[in-house]
């Protein structure tokens, strides 16, 4: 059971930018998080639409964690990036048992329980206290700065 | 967030054989569930090792749902087929933030909540009453018999 790669990247970027008071760029994020630049650019765009990141224009512009995004939850980010997909694909290809299947409902309940845990975790919770500073140090080390 | 294809197939096969009093074969399962035969053969082997299916030898042999396998849970099947993988891959490629990451623990808690729901669902529960007979009808329809 795996989250999509884009969800994983979104969570890393949200966590890292939440820890940082400075603005950053797609290039810096790609370097500090050891992620492919083209994917980072797409994920950053979606995080902006979600209100997690904001764009700062101008010569010293870049992206930054939005002022109140610490109140958004991990569950909200995961739902936004995962969409409404179920954990199994009953329709592609179509499962002949679908009309009599009780399993699908149970898997939906399990998925809801998964998301409910993450709905209780704010993005801000991930970087409170020394954890946030440690994340920045780790990113800087990865970037070799 | 998706379960592995083999987990999905294992659950379909377990549900279908649980509903059936007759023994079946890999070929029949592949036809009735519209699944690729080679994958069905591998999944059936693993379900035998798990004690969900038993092999009946001889000319009229085949595989059948094991006598007490109705007491096994969906959670047990999912754990066996999914292994101990986490929902994100922190180590491949290595995430630089790992040493300061609080997210991993939260994702593990969410995964545990997912599995806890399925630990309460017995394979027998999926086919109790009219649901079981309906599954067999659907499989027969898919097989064109």
């Amino acid at each position: 059971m795996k989250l999509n790669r884009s969800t994983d990247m979104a969570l890393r970027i949200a966590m890292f930018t939440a820890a940082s008071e400075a603005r950053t760029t797609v290039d810096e994020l790609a370097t500090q998080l050891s992620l492919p630049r083209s994917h980072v650019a797409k994920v950053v765009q979606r995080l902006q639409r979600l209100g997690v990141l904001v764009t700062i224009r101008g010569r010293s512009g870049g992206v930054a964690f939005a002022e109140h995004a610490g109140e958004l939850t991990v569950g909200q980010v995961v739902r936004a990036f995962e969409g409404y997909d179920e954990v199994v694909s009953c329709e592609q290809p179509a499962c002949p048992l679908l009309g009599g299947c009780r399993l699908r409902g149970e898997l939906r309940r399990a998925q809801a329980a998964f998301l409910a845990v993450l709905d209780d975790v704010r993005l801000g919770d991930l970087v409170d206290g020394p954890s946030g500073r440690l994340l920045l140090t780790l990113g800087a080390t990865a970037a070799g700065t």
Side-chain angles (χ1 to χ4, degrees), chain A:
Chain A
M1 187 169 83
K2 279 272 180 278
L3 294 178
N4 294 330
R5 182 88 179 110
S6 62
T7 311
D8 184 0
M9 288 173 52
L11 291 171
R12 294 183 197 197
I13 291 169
M15 188 162 58
F16 188 71
T17 53
S20 172
E21 287 179 15
R23 61 194 61 173
T24 184
T25 64
V26 166
D27 284 332
E28 283 171 5
L29 285 171
T31 308
Q32 298 206 314
L33 299 175
S34 304
L35 296 172
R37 191 195 175 287
S38 59
H39 293 193
V40 170
K42 283 181 198 162
V43 170
V44 163
Q45 276 192 343
R46 291 179 70 187
L47 286 171
Q48 286 172 330
R49 288 202 296 274
L50 258 182
V52 174
L53 299 179
V54 288
T55 309
I56 298 137
R57 298 194 181 279
R59 195 188 298 177
S60 60
V63 290
F65 195 68
E67 196 171 346
H68 298 293
E71 298 301 317
L72 297 175
T73 68
V74 174
Q76 286 174 302
V77 175
V78 171
R79 284 173 207 274
F81 277 82
E82 293 286 318
Y84 291 93
D85 278 3
E86 295 178 74
V87 298
V88 290
S89 300
C90 301
E91 273 121 5
Q92 287 173 334
C95 175
L97 306 182
L98 195 53
C101 181
R102 285 188 192 159
L103 180 61
R104 191 181 199 180
E106 301 296 347
L107 291 172
R108 282 179 178 159
R109 281 205 309 127
Q111 190 173 14
F114 178 92
L115 290 168
V117 169
L118 302 181
D119 284 338
D120 278 342
V121 185
R122 297 178 319 122
L123 295 179
D125 296 336
L126 300 175
V127 297
D128 276 352
S131 189
R133 289 191 294 281
L134 178 55
L135 290 177
L136 293 179
T137 313
L138 293 167
T141 307
T145 56

